[in-house]
Each structure stands twice: as structure tokens, then as C-alpha cells.
Amino acid sequence: MTAAPARILETQALTARYGHVQALSAADIHVCAGELVAVLGPNGAGKSTLLRAILGLASTTGTASFHGEPLPRQDPVAVSSRGVVLVPEGRGIFGPMTVSENLQLGAYRLRGDKAEYGRRLARVLALFPRLGERLSQTAGSMSGGEQQMLAIGRALMSDPKILLLDEPSLGLAPRVIAEIMEKLALLRDEGLPILLVEQKAPAALKLAQRAYVLVLGRIVACLDPRDLSSHDDLAKYYFH
Amino acid sequence: MTLPNTTSTERAGLLLRAWPLQLLPWAVSAAIVGYAFIVGGYVATVIAFALVYVVFVTGLNLFMGFANQVSFGQNAFAGLGGYASAILTTTYNWPVLPAMIAGIVLAVVIALIIGYPTLRLKGHYLAMATLAIGLITYEIAVEWQSMTQGYLGISGIPPLGIGSYEIISDRGQLAILSIVALLAVFIAARIKSSRMGRAFLALGASENAALALGINVSRTKLIAFLTAAAFAALAGALFVHVVGYVSPEVFGLHMVILGFTMLYVGGIGSIAGPLIGALLISLLPEVLRGFKDYQDLFYGTALILLLIYAPRGLAAFFERRERTGSAS
């Protein structure tokens, strides 16, 4: 009998509110070492809120823990310093700044260690060679796909222990989505745990070892993508 | 793997091609200051005031242009710096330099006390709160007559100088103000390229994205506010020692409006913007003086045209071109 893989990230009864509106209800999820876990669901299901709640950007009850230690609540700086790094919805790149400056900000906590900075930059540019060609270009002037690459590259510059990705396919052409997903598969294969929130379920299910389905703020299913034979298998949860 | 990059020769070539355009605003500004230095008199006084505003607007630019926050209350910190230096030199016979430093320290301490709760606000709410700071400071300057002389103001403020050496001549004042303004611009440039400056810019672009990268947004915002307050206080202190007189009107809402105009016309978020804006907005009324009764009409029209045809400010014309390559 093999031992169950270690749980890197775990939430227990994680609930989030925006004022009087409860956007997430008692969510229990976990991500194991080296795993890519997808969170699927229709628009407004609370997927982005789940990531914001883990990071401490939303008002929450319940717990979120990383490597067994509870993550601080309402303190995203402390959470990200543990290596829990979010690539936000809409990419959140710093448009007026150059690609190089955006990447430097990714390594914000790295104070003056040039060798380590160079190592991280080389890794990012090896993964996304196109960023290397655009280092002195303003980030806002790049295409949507390149901006998404930059957003992921910038997150990698902080040497994350787990990556939280919010809708990386948003507004991108299918060819570009395939390219981004291919890069995420590479990161997964390198052993980086990823929690991927995605509306485009087929693309996410190709990569994920497990998938949670979130509807109206509640986790309604935890699936093994290999068990899904057709879109209808997934659709039934959306109309739960 | 080899990192895609330019060779040192290519970089040098790029730099040389970009330099004439980037250097133009600096060269024109130097020529204007140089001209004022040669002719002296009224022109030198106008440019001296413009250079004081360069310091004030450079600070405003750090908070508004880099960190993308709003403050209508920077006049309060200019007032604090100005009044503190005026009172310490006239009532308590302090030397000018320590009095100016004390004024800056006071303004930064007050900015810390006010900024800590105020900077939790965002957008219009922050704008209204900072406007209130300016109005309250103005009222204190009017009402605290035993210290400020109210509307009468404080006169006989000693000129700039170190120890027993006083800079009385308009050319001497222009020279020292040029050095201080240049230093202020240099400090702003250093801040922009520093780790803290990049945090200012990140905060200005997206607070959530900055937080997600581990940037302490509240602290960064406060540091930007304190730095801007220090620049404003320095400008206020310079002003009172150049004019030799201070009254509440000097640091009224007019100062904020003028500062905003200079910042937006010059180019918000750019290093050269405050310099271009302060010189242009100070010189424009003098250039248009010949139109007599229509002077204000031409001034207003000129500002509207500038903002229509240069919405990012005049400094945008002189930015490095390779930063805005096309998307593909």
C-alpha cells in the first residue's frame, strides 16, 4: 500500500463574504505535492473568490493552511511570503512599466541577490522566450497572450511554492490558450503545485489530476478528469 | 540557454539616438534658467518661483504620478514647512538651514499622523480627506494669531543662507534654487528606479496585483505620502525665505490648483514633467501679458489646447521610443 501524497494546501470550511453577500460557502479543498488541481464552474460561482480567500484578499471564516500551518487571514503580504502566489484574473500586469521592470517586481522580496535573480530570470525566459525579446517593451503594449505569459513569469520570479492561477485563458485565442496550458503542464511536470481556476473546463481538465466543481459558492463535486466521458458528465453539476 | 539581449555596441547606439530627444526638455530648461540668470531682475524672480514649484510638483508627482493616489492637501505640508521655518527664524532666531530642516521634519511627522488613518481611504474619499487637511491647515494659519499673525502674516523672514552668509541677490537665489530643484528631480529619478519606486509604480498600476507579489501596499502608500510631504515642506520653506514674507493665502487652495496644472501639463508620472510644467505655467502669464484684458482667456485656451493635444503632458513627447514597441 502506498502512502497518500502530502497535502500542500488545504482549506476547511472556508467562507468568504463581500459585505452581506456570501460568495463562498464552507469550501473544503486540497492540493497535494506536484498536483495541478482545477476549480471549474460557471460565471459568478465564486471561483475567483476562493483564490482571493486563500490569499487573504477577502473577508473570510474557516481556515486555509499551507504545509499544515494556518495561513494568516487578511494579510496577503504574509501569505505570499510563504510562497503562495496568485496570478490574478485580468493578469494584473503593470502596463506602463517594461517587461523587465514587471519581472523585477516579481522578485520584490529578493533583496540584492543578483545570482538568484539571474537564475530565476533565466528560468522564466527559458519557459517564455518571447518575454526575452520584449524586455524593454512596455507591458501594456503587448498582446493578451504575451501579457498572460508575463503575469505567470512575474509570479515565477517570486519562486512560488504553489501557484494560484485565476482564469489564465480569459480573452485569449484558442491557439494562445493551448500555448499557455502547455507551459502550465511543464510547470506541473517540474513539480510545482498549481491551483487553476478556469471557466474553460475542457482545457483545464486536460491538465488536471483532480477538479473541483463550484456552483453558487459551494463545492458540489470533486472529480477525477479520467472518469468524465463527455461534457454532459460535467454539465450535470453546473445545473445542480 | 542564452538570454536574448542587445550587445553593448547596439545599446550604446540606441542610447545615442534617443539622447537628443530626451535631453531637449533639460536643455531648454537650462537655457531658460540661464537666460533668467543673465538678465536678472523680474525674470529671475519669476523663474525662482517656478523652481520652488519644481520641488513642490516633483513631490506631488511621487504620490500622484508614481503611486497613482490623489492628494488635494499638499499645500498643508508646504504651509507647515513654510510657517515652521518662518516662526523659528523670526521669533526664535534660529539659523535658516536648521529651521528649514525642522519645518520638513514637522511636516513629515504630521503627515505620518494624518496619513496613517487617511490613506486607508481610496479614490474620491481620499481626495476629499486630503482637501480637508489643506483647509484645516489654512484655518489654523488664520486663527492661531499669537503664532502666525493671522492674515497680517509674518514679515522680515531672513533670506536663504548658511551661517552668517545670506543670499540676497536675485541671481544668487536663482543659483541656489536651481541646485535645489535639480537635486529634487535627481532624488525623484533615483526613487523611481529604486526598489521602493517600483513598488510605488506597482501600487499605482494595481493594488491587488501589488499585494499578490508581497508588496506591503499600506506601508508603500504611506512612504509615498511622507516623501511628497517632505518635498512640499521644502518648497514651502524655500518660498518663505525667498519672498521674506508669509501669510495664509500663500499656501491656500490656489497652490494646489497651480501644482495640479503644472503636473498635468508637464506630464504626470514622468521625471521631467514637473520641471517642464512649472517653468511653462510660470512663464505663460508673462508671455501672454501683452494681450492685457484677454490674458486670462488666452491662458485658459492655451491650457485646454495643451491638454487636448498632449493628454499625457508635454514630457510624453520626449520619452524613450523603444519603451512603447507595438504588440504582435
Side-chain angles (χ1 to χ4, degrees):
Chain A
M1 190 178 125
T2 54
R7 291 184 175 189
I8 300 290
L9 179 76
E10 188 166 19
T11 70
Q12 285 177 332
L14 193 64
T15 300
R17 294 180 165 278
Y18 296 117
H20 296 295
V21 180
Q22 188 161 312
L24 185 69
S25 302
D28 294 336
I29 67 155
H30 68 269
V31 180
C32 295
E35 211 180 18
L36 191 152
V37 175
V39 179
L40 311 173
N43 224 351
K47 304 187 296 296
S48 299
T49 303
L50 172 65
L51 297 190
R52 291 173 60 84
I54 292 169
L55 203 73
L57 283 166
S59 177
T60 58
T61 57
T63 61
S65 54
F66 186 59
H67 283 291
E69 294 284 319
L71 287 171
R73 302 293 69 210
Q74 305 274 309
D75 189 356
V77 175
V79 175
S80 65
S81 72
R82 302 259 187 102
V84 180
V85 177
L86 172 71
V87 179
E89 186 181 4
R91 297 152 204 150
I93 58 145
F94 305 128
M97 300 166 77
T98 63
V99 169
S100 176
E101 287 164 340
N102 268 271
L103 294 174
Q104 283 173 32
L105 270 164
Y108 182 75
R109 283 192 305 275
L110 195 66
R111 291 169 183 266
D113 188 343
K114 286 185 180 170
E116 175 61 16
Y117 179 82
R119 191 191 65 76
R120 291 184 192 181
L121 185 65
R123 180 194 180 203
V124 168
L125 297 185
L127 189 67
F128 299 115
R130 227 180 297 173
L131 295 182
E133 299 159 13
R134 307 245 188 282
L135 283 175
S136 64
Q137 187 173 326
T138 47
S141 68
M142 296 201 303
S143 69
E146 287 165 348
Q147 289 185 9
Q148 188 60 62
M149 290 173 197
L150 177 58
I152 298 169
R154 192 184 59 187
L156 292 174
M157 287 298 288
S158 65
D159 196 22
K161 304 293 175 273
I162 185 168
L163 205 54
L164 314 183
L165 278 152
D166 197 353
E167 303 263 13
S169 72
L170 197 71
L172 301 181
R175 182 182 57 80
V176 183
I177 295 173
E179 196 180 346
I180 298 284
M181 293 299 169
E182 190 185 308
K183 303 297 182 185
L184 294 184
L186 281 173
L187 290 171
R188 177 202 59 195
D189 295 344
E190 282 178 15
L192 179 67
I194 297 173
L195 184 60
L196 171 68
V197 155
E198 189 52 72
Q199 228 184 113
K200 292 189 173 63
L205 288 169
K206 274 185 198 163
L207 298 180
Q209 278 100 339
R210 279 184 305 113
Y212 290 97
V213 182
L214 195 59
V215 178
L216 294 174
R218 290 183 182 281
I219 302 280
V220 294
C222 177
L223 311 166
D224 184 333
R226 289 167 298 188
D227 296 338
L228 296 171
S229 55
S230 73
H231 289 310
D232 291 343
D233 289 346
L234 188 65
K236 71 182 179 199
Y237 294 108
Y238 279 49
F239 303 107
H240 185 71
Chain B
M1 110 178 223
T2 55
L3 302 184
N5 217 333
T6 50
T7 65
S8 57
T9 317
E10 284 169 342
R11 277 199 300 275
L14 274 172
L15 214 59
L16 279 173
R17 281 200 295 280
W19 265 27
L21 191 68
Q22 284 179 58
L23 284 180
L24 194 60
W26 304 100
V28 171
S29 303
I32 292 169
V33 176
Y35 173 75
F37 194 81
I38 291 164
V39 297
Y42 180 67
V43 179
T45 306
V46 170
I47 299 302
F49 287 144
L51 291 172
V52 171
Y53 266 98
V54 169
V55 177
F56 180 74
V57 180
T58 297
L60 196 62
N61 195 28
L62 286 172
F63 190 63
M64 291 183 60
F66 298 175
N68 201 16
Q69 305 299 307
V70 190
S71 175
F72 285 93
Q74 292 308 104
N75 58 329
F77 305 115
L80 280 166
Y83 265 103
S85 198
I87 292 165
L88 288 172
T89 49
T90 55
T91 311
Y92 298 99
N93 295 317
W94 277 40
V96 171
L97 202 59
M100 287 177 70
I101 293 167
I104 295 167
V105 171
L106 175 73
V108 171
V109 170
I110 299 289
L112 180 67
I113 295 165
I114 295 169
Y116 193 73
T118 309
L119 293 173
R120 290 164 189 270
L121 302 171
K122 290 181 181 175
H124 297 116
Y125 299 100
L126 179 61
M128 293 306 290
T130 51
L131 179 66
I133 295 167
L135 295 175
I136 290 166
T137 309
Y138 179 84
E139 283 305 316
I140 291 172
V142 170
E143 298 297 332
W144 197 6
Q145 294 193 8
S146 61
M147 193 60 86
T148 65
Q149 317 288 326
Y151 283 119
L152 279 176
I154 302 168
S155 54
I157 302 166
L160 293 168
I162 298 169
S164 59
Y165 178 71
E166 290 185 337
I167 303 163
I168 299 165
S169 71
D170 47 13
R171 286 190 176 88
Q173 288 191 335
L174 193 63
I176 194 81
L177 288 173
S178 301
I179 293 167
V180 175
L182 207 61
L183 211 61
V185 172
F186 175 73
I187 291 169
R190 293 291 296 173
I191 290 174
K192 191 177 185 183
S193 61
S194 71
R195 184 169 178 267
M196 182 50 68
R198 284 194 291 274
F200 286 176
L201 295 168
L203 157 71
S206 166
E207 276 195 29
N208 278 345
L211 275 170
L213 292 174
I215 295 171
N216 189 328
V217 164
S218 310
R219 197 177 63 189
T220 306
K221 217 186 274 188
L222 188 62
I223 291 170
F225 189 61
L226 298 185
T227 314
F231 275 75
L234 172 62
L238 287 170
F239 191 95
V240 301
H241 290 291
V242 167
V243 178
Y245 170 77
V246 63
S247 71
E249 282 83 3
V250 170
F251 302 116
L253 204 54
H254 169 76
M255 187 180 203
V256 179
I257 294 167
L258 199 58
F260 271 47
T261 312
M262 289 169 172
L263 184 57
Y264 279 93
V265 167
I268 188 165
S270 77
I271 292 295
L275 179 70
I276 300 170
L279 285 174
L280 184 74
I281 297 301
S282 301
L283 283 173
L284 208 54
E286 307 306 324
V287 173
L288 299 172
R289 202 171 284 281
F291 293 105
K292 291 178 181 160
D293 291 347
Y294 297 101
Q295 185 188 338
D296 288 346
L297 179 71
F298 279 100
Y299 180 74
T301 310
L303 287 186
I304 291 168
L305 289 174
L306 274 171
L307 291 174
I308 288 173
Y309 292 105
R312 289 175 57 220
L314 291 169
F317 293 125
F318 310 106
E319 281 178 354
R320 279 189 299 164
R321 295 297 167 92
E322 72 267 20
R323 284 175 66 95
T324 52
S326 61
S328 58

